[in-house]
Amino acid sequence: MVNIEEIRKEFPILESRIYDKPLVYLDNAATTQKPKCVIDTISNVYTTMNSNVHRGVHHLSQVATTAMENSRETVRKFIGAKHSHEIIFTRGTTESINLVASSYGNTLLKEGDEIIISAMEHHSNIVPWQLLHARTGVKFRVIPLTGNCKLDIEAYKGMFNEKTRLVSVTHVSNVLGSTNPIKEIIDIAHSNDVPVLVDGAQSIPHKKIDVMELDADFFAFSGHKIYGPTGVGVLYGKELWLETMQPYNGGGEMIKSVRFDKTSFNDLPYKFEAGTPDYVGIIALGKAIEWVNSLGIENIAAHEHELTRYAVEQLKTIPEMRIFGEPDGAAVSFLTGDIHPADLGTILDRLGIAIRTGHHCAQPLIDHLGIPGTARASFAVYNTKKEIDALIQGIKRAVKMFTQC
Ligand code: PLP
């Protein structure tokens, strides 16, 4: 059990008033708010230990380096990875996927090879593969959806052939708020000797992740969606793949020695961390994960599931309400009658309620649904049923305004 009132006190921004109304923040799938301990960590690092990491023999550099490496270990334990050198710090999910598309793609793929993605991917798990296609001629195929917006697993099973080299799918849809059967997806791929990249952007804040139990080959996530700072994320990769793949960016830190005729690369994880990392963000991400651990991810998930169940139940009381897919996580996408989602979002904003509207960076899925976009409410551990009541009242008010027109 989590004490929501106590938790809310840790988030200064939740006390904001928007247009003189209390903020109701329901855009957590886009980014979560930050607890004071994370905000303080950023300030403390700059105040007490700021110094470039991994390079200095001096005290401050060593303190900052230790703090950064402690964060790597915190992440390792949090996702159940075997080695801390399998944790690569990136700028976020997008960069993590681009890293794999670039490094795995350049090293192990050739023209005519195939990658499998799905019809519900975020653009960050589509466009890197399109760019790879343009560079190398590697193709991607798309797992279709069933009538109720689930991945068509039977069709997926039939998509493997001798050219299939990688599966890259999202764990939880950022539009539908539904969870894909990721273990089954991985097992099917592995039975075809194909590795799997899991886009964990929307699962990491809401689920216990154990990459070894899942047997995921790669797992990507962003810090800012799990109460951490922006600009920092993680790529987990199995040692075997990371050792095989060529570096992503070139520069300082990722080398052992550089001569004009030859450069040798650093060991993992540094081989993939060229340049000065966002060590301040990385240290603060470690703090965010410690904070999540202090509450217990299972407790967080239980609260969010209850909020989602309640939101779906309440939304269904509104006439002409359409809910897309079968949300089982912490987000729900909907449309009300003919009201354009952008209009609904604007009216709710005036009531202090922040939701997300539009295509949610998943245009192919929105096109598949044949709609202009959706309104999406997404929840975090600090949200309450009272806030969902405010959302429902706000939608009812919008409906009234539009029916009076
Ligand atoms: N994948 C999914 C499923 C997402 O929901 C998002 C962001 O919303 C991303 C990838 C990209 O994350 P970021 O912008 O933090 O790199």
Side-chain angles (χ1 to χ4, degrees):
M1 278 289 286
V2 283
N3 182 337
I4 306 304
E5 284 318 310
E6 286 306 310
I7 288 171
R8 287 182 71 84
K9 289 184 195 154
E10 298 184 46
F11 290 80
I13 204 170
L14 295 181
E15 284 166 26
S16 310
R17 292 184 74 80
I18 308 291
Y19 306 116
D20 208 26
K21 308 268 185 336
L23 168 67
V24 174
Y25 185 77
L26 301 177
D27 192 19
N28 295 285
T31 198
T32 52
Q33 299 302 344
K34 318 303 170 200
K36 205 158 177 308
C37 61
V38 169
I39 300 168
D40 288 347
T41 297
I42 294 169
S43 166
N44 284 343
V45 174
Y46 280 124
T47 313
T48 66
M49 67 174 84
N50 181 47
S51 181
N52 208 331
V53 288
H54 294 135
R55 294 169 199 195
V57 288
H58 61 79
H59 178 77
L60 282 185
S61 178
Q62 289 180 18
V63 173
T65 302
T66 304
M68 172 175 158
E69 292 307 319
N70 286 345
S71 264
R72 201 186 301 273
E73 181 57 14
T74 302
V75 171
R76 182 197 70 75
K77 282 199 197 126
F78 188 61
I79 64 168
K82 191 167 180 184
H83 307 292
S84 59
H85 60 252
E86 294 175 317
I87 307 298
I88 312 293
F89 288 117
T90 64
R91 287 190 295 131
T93 310
T94 302
E95 188 174 50
S96 297
I97 298 173
N98 275 279
L99 190 162
V100 177
S102 183
S103 295
Y104 181 93
N106 292 350
T107 315
L108 295 164
L109 304 182
K110 59 178 187 321
E111 185 172 0
D113 284 345
E114 291 182 4
I115 287 164
I116 297 176
I117 62 171
S118 91
M120 63 166 77
E121 297 309 316
H122 188 280
H123 297 162
S124 62
N125 198 21
I126 300 172
V127 184
W129 307 114
Q130 289 175 326
L131 295 174
L132 179 68
H133 171 71
R135 278 199 315 274
T136 63
V138 169
K139 297 181 185 145
F140 62 89
R141 302 179 67 191
V142 181
I143 310 171
L145 302 181
T146 61
N148 55 355
C149 287
K150 304 236 180 236
L151 292 186
D152 186 337
I153 297 296
E154 286 312 306
Y156 168 62
K157 285 180 188 165
M159 291 169 74
F160 290 86
N161 60 45
E162 70 287 348
K163 292 184 172 167
T164 314
R165 295 283 176 269
L166 185 73
V167 172
S168 186
V169 286
T170 192
H171 192 174
V172 171
S173 162
N174 65 312
V175 177
L176 307 167
S178 54
T179 308
N180 290 323
I182 202 67
K183 180 69 184 138
E184 190 185 357
I185 289 169
I186 292 172
D187 287 349
I188 292 167
H190 285 177
S191 68
N192 288 280
D193 285 330
V194 173
V196 180
L197 186 165
V198 180
D199 174 349
Q202 296 295 340
S203 60
I204 195 83
H206 312 295
K207 287 184 192 307
K208 173 85 199 103
I209 299 296
D210 187 322
V211 289
M212 291 229 289
E213 202 175 294
L214 286 176
D215 203 15
D217 298 274
F218 300 100
F219 189 95
F221 71 90
S222 304
H224 69 96
K225 293 190 196 281
I226 181 165
Y227 311 104
T230 53
V232 55
V234 169
L235 173 69
Y236 158 79
K238 279 185 186 166
E239 183 183 57
L240 166 81
W241 296 120
L242 295 177
E243 287 289 8
T244 313
M245 287 155 49
Q246 46 176 269
Y248 177 48
N249 289 325
E253 191 61 30
M254 51 76 73
I255 52 87
K256 265 190 182 144
S257 75
V258 178
R259 291 199 324 251
F260 283 121
D261 60 343
K262 187 173 165 42
T263 288
S264 61
F265 302 126
N266 208 342
D267 297 329
L268 295 175
Y270 311 112
K271 179 174 122 182
F272 289 104
E273 292 181 355
T276 300
D278 182 359
Y279 53 88
V280 180
I282 291 168
I283 296 167
L285 173 60
K287 182 51 103 181
I289 292 177
E290 281 170 21
W291 183 81
V292 165
N293 283 336
S294 74
L295 298 179
I297 189 83
E298 287 86 356
N299 294 327
I300 293 175
H303 174 66
E304 291 165 342
H305 284 175
E306 178 51 20
L307 289 178
T308 305
R309 188 205 59 75
Y310 182 68
V312 170
E313 177 190 282
Q314 294 302 310
L315 285 169
K316 282 182 176 166
T317 65
I318 298 173
E320 293 193 64
M321 173 60 65
R322 275 189 295 165
I323 293 173
F324 296 92
E326 295 176 4
D328 60 12
V332 50
S333 255
F334 55 91
L335 284 179
T336 314
D338 291 335
I339 305 177
H340 194 282
D343 292 335
L344 180 61
T346 306
I347 292 169
L348 291 173
D349 175 54
R350 286 281 155 179
L351 301 170
I353 303 166
I355 61 159
R356 178 59 51 133
T357 61
H359 55 58
H360 315 293
C361 296
Q363 274 180 347
L365 173 57
I366 296 296
D367 289 348
H368 169 84
L369 295 169
I371 52 177
T374 75
R376 180 188 71 189
S378 56
F379 312 113
V381 66
Y382 40 68
N383 288 125
T384 63
K385 286 189 176 171
K386 214 170 122 196
E387 291 181 307
I388 292 172
D389 292 339
L391 169 71
I392 301 297
Q393 289 314 315
I395 298 172
K396 285 184 176 163
R397 198 158 153 181
V399 171
K400 216 167 167 183
M401 281 169 68
F402 276 88
T403 45
Q404 278 168 356
C405 288

